[in-house]
Amino acid sequence: MKPPRNTAQQNFNAAPIAEAAASGSVAPMHAAIILAAGQGTRMKSARPKVMHPLAGRPMIQHLLASCAPLFQRVLVVVGPGMAELEATVAPHPTVVQHERLGTGHAARLAAPALQDFAGDVAVLYGDNPLITQQTIALLLDARRAAGLVLLAMRPADPGRYGRVVTDDAGMVQRIVEWADATAAERAIPLCNAGVICAPAADLFRWLGGLSNANAAGEYYLTDVIAAARAEGRAVRAVEAPEAELRGINTRAELATAEAEIQARLRQAAMLGGATLIRPETVQLAWDTALAPDVTVEPHVVFAPGVTVAEGATIRAFSHLEACSVGPGAVIGPYARLRPGTAVGEAAHVGNFVELKAARLGAGAKANHLTYLGDVTVGAGANIGAGTITCNYDGLAKHRTEIGEGAFIGSDTALVAPVRVGAHAVTAAGSVITEDVPDNALAIARGRQANKLGRGMKGRRR
Ligand code: UD1
Ligand code: CA
């Protein structure tokens, strides 16, 4: 799926390719192995951890997006019975890790698929999706000056991260997992972020020699550092901010990661020329595309697939999903735009109006308390308060067409399929079951009878 031009996601991933290209020499080949076989027990969820969404798409897709421009090949290690995950990462090939024997074991499973690969291989963790393309590019670049490189961070709370043990010269010696660490080692502030890179042949040789004699009884990927040092290779750590490198193991960490991604998306949206009056209250999706001079009032939610054109205003408490808003249009407050909706230039959609698969022509207005589903509304048409398209008869959905310049009286029920002609009028309170010709007035309601003297005074007598 290709995100629309000028999305926030692109903005915060844009810079590094140029940098990498500018660094001169012929770019080496790179392959990525992404580990995602764990169920993520600490999430207490029926779905695999990496399928949990951030900014409206599975976290693993954020990582794949950052990897895509840098790696010629990407391979994902999944657990058994994770068909949905395999479909999500397609067309990237997957390898199934049937037994969860550790990160080192999982990485080793990619060896047969990369047998003929002569470049550098990076191993990344699927539960580390905030890492940017820039940072991965820096790591790949650093590999030219070392036998093995890894990403490290100094988190405010180092918790149970693996600790990076360095010598006096700052050269990395090994990584010790928290469970295996001494008190002195646990006091080390430098933590392993979980991304390493080395030449393919070296990496798979080191992985082949791992042992599981440790606290967890697992094959630790992190033990390849000691293996590289044992062969006398230089190992270097590239440091990056915790905000990018923190892993997601719990729902609370998922929420922290969401906050980080939202902050980036909002920043990118504002750099792109949108005004967010109270940015911290606006929920964006990974692909939300806001054109310059769009104004977003507080407490607006953008689900995936929304495009807003120049000068449009999205007023407070509106919810938009898979829809487009034309230039200068005004949406809300309290409007709901559901999938398949396209609001035309300078059209108005007011409070408590719900649109589903609705196409509103330029300058059309639906300002109050209305449901428009499976409908085409012509340019300049006015939809009165309380108008309802009765698009569902209990079995199937039907379309309503409203011509340009039409005037739909308040509280009109349009029983689809039905067509109201251009410049036609429906009387307030009408139930429209038959097509209305162009420029006609349709009245479809009970006639009023005034019984004189039968008001309250008359009834009491
Ligand atoms: C790992 C690192 C730790 C580092 C931390 C950073 C190891 C041994 N430890 O710990 O040094 O500080 O990440 O976040 O690598 N996975 C598999 N198969 C397995 C085990 C894990 O595919 O058999 C996958 C998981 O799905 C996950 C990733 O590898 O996406 C990391 O595994 P996890 O158990 O979360 O490692 P941490 O304990 O966080
Ligand atoms: Ca983890």
Side-chain angles (χ1 to χ4, degrees):
M1 177 171 32
K2 227 179 174 167
R5 238 166 51 81
N6 200 19
T7 62
Q9 172 76 23
Q10 278 189 331
N11 288 352
F12 70 72
N13 265 338
I17 318 173
E19 271 171 41
S23 69
S25 53
V26 184
M29 295 284 283
H30 290 106
I33 304 170
I34 297 178
L35 306 188
Q39 180 59 40
T41 36
R42 285 169 281 178
M43 296 292 281
K44 301 205 167 65
S45 172
R47 52 154 76 139
K49 175 161 67 177
V50 298
M51 288 299 290
H52 283 262
L54 290 172
R57 68 174 171 180
M59 66 170 86
I60 191 151
Q61 285 186 353
H62 290 270
L63 184 59
L64 288 171
S66 299
C67 286
L70 300 173
F71 296 97
Q72 286 73 44
R73 294 172 67 176
V74 174
L75 208 106
V76 184
V77 182
V78 302
M82 294 186 179
E84 204 198 339
L85 172 56
E86 293 190 39
T88 296
V89 306
H92 299 300
T94 53
V95 183
V96 180
Q97 185 190 28
H98 290 280
E99 270 184 295
R100 200 186 178 288
L101 300 179
T103 47
H105 175 257
R108 196 163 63 199
L109 292 176
L114 293 172
Q115 214 169 20
D116 55 345
F117 186 79
D120 281 358
V121 175
V123 183
L124 301 102
Y125 296 161
D127 65 350
N128 258 355
L130 299 176
I131 187 163
T132 59
Q133 188 186 310
Q134 289 92 317
T135 296
I136 303 172
L138 282 177
L139 183 79
L140 301 185
D141 222 37
R143 221 293 297 155
R144 298 165 192 234
L148 186 154
V149 286
L150 60 108
L151 282 180
M153 58 179 166
R154 297 177 189 272
D157 171 14
R160 299 187 168 223
Y161 285 116
R163 302 300 204 270
V164 180
V165 181
T166 51
D167 65 13
D168 295 341
M171 178 77 77
V172 177
Q173 298 303 318
R174 61 196 170 89
I175 290 175
V176 56
E177 287 305 304
W178 186 86
D180 301 288
T182 63
E185 287 165 340
R186 286 179 185 178
I188 296 173
L190 192 62
C191 293
N192 173 36
V195 186
I196 65 164
C197 179
D202 293 337
L203 179 68
F204 290 120
R205 184 174 65 257
W206 298 330
L207 286 171
L210 294 182
S211 123
N212 64 351
N214 52 50
E218 290 189 357
Y219 296 93
Y220 293 156
L221 173 66
T222 45
D223 283 347
V224 299
I225 281 93
R229 287 302 298 136
E231 289 186 12
R233 300 299 174 85
V235 179
R236 294 197 185 279
V238 173
E239 290 191 39
E242 178 191 11
E244 266 189 52
L245 300 186
R246 62 164 61 97
I248 299 173
N249 298 305
T250 64
R251 305 269 181 168
E253 287 166 358
L254 183 69
T256 306
E258 179 75 41
E260 167 66 23
I261 289 216
Q262 288 297 325
R264 291 184 199 174
L265 291 169
R266 292 175 194 130
Q267 195 62 28
M270 292 186 282
L271 286 173
T275 292
L276 308 187
I277 294 174
R278 274 184 58 201
E280 70 281 8
T281 68
V282 174
Q283 174 79 12
L284 297 166
W286 64 277
D287 61 349
T288 305
L290 306 179
D293 287 323
V294 164
T295 297
V296 180
E297 291 186 357
H299 299 288
V300 171
V301 175
F302 293 94
V306 179
T307 313
V308 183
E310 293 80 3
T313 300
I314 314 297
R315 303 200 55 199
F317 297 100
S318 294
H319 188 287
L320 296 84
E321 177 177 9
C323 62
S324 66
V325 175
V330 179
I331 307 297
Y334 300 99
R336 179 166 183 212
L337 271 50
R338 291 173 53 201
T341 290
V343 176
E345 179 163 2
H348 286 199
V349 176
N351 44 266
F352 307 109
V353 172
E354 173 181 349
L355 305 186
K356 197 258 328 191
R359 308 192 75 82
L360 253 60
K365 292 195 170 102
N367 274 332
H368 333 267
L369 301 165
T370 285
Y371 172 61
L372 297 175
D374 303 308
V375 60
T376 309
V377 177
N382 191 305
I383 311 295
T387 296
I388 304 286
T389 52
C390 309
N391 59 330
Y392 184 51
D393 59 13
L395 296 170
K397 302 283 174 67
H398 302 282
R399 292 201 62 85
T400 299
E401 267 181 62
I402 298 170
E404 64 172 42
F407 182 96
I408 306 298
S410 295
D411 197 28
T412 296
L414 298 153
V415 182
V418 73
R419 179 179 178 280
V420 177
H423 308 287
V425 173
T426 67
S430 288
V431 178
I432 302 295
T433 54
E434 288 165 33
D435 289 356
V436 181
D438 290 355
N439 204 31
L441 163 65
I443 308 171
R445 64 186 183 213
R447 247 199 134 73
Q448 179 174 336
N450 289 341
K451 312 275 183 185
L452 298 181
R454 294 268 297 273
M456 289 310 289
K457 280 186 189 168
R459 283 162 63 198
R460 268 188 209 111
R461 267 205 303 277

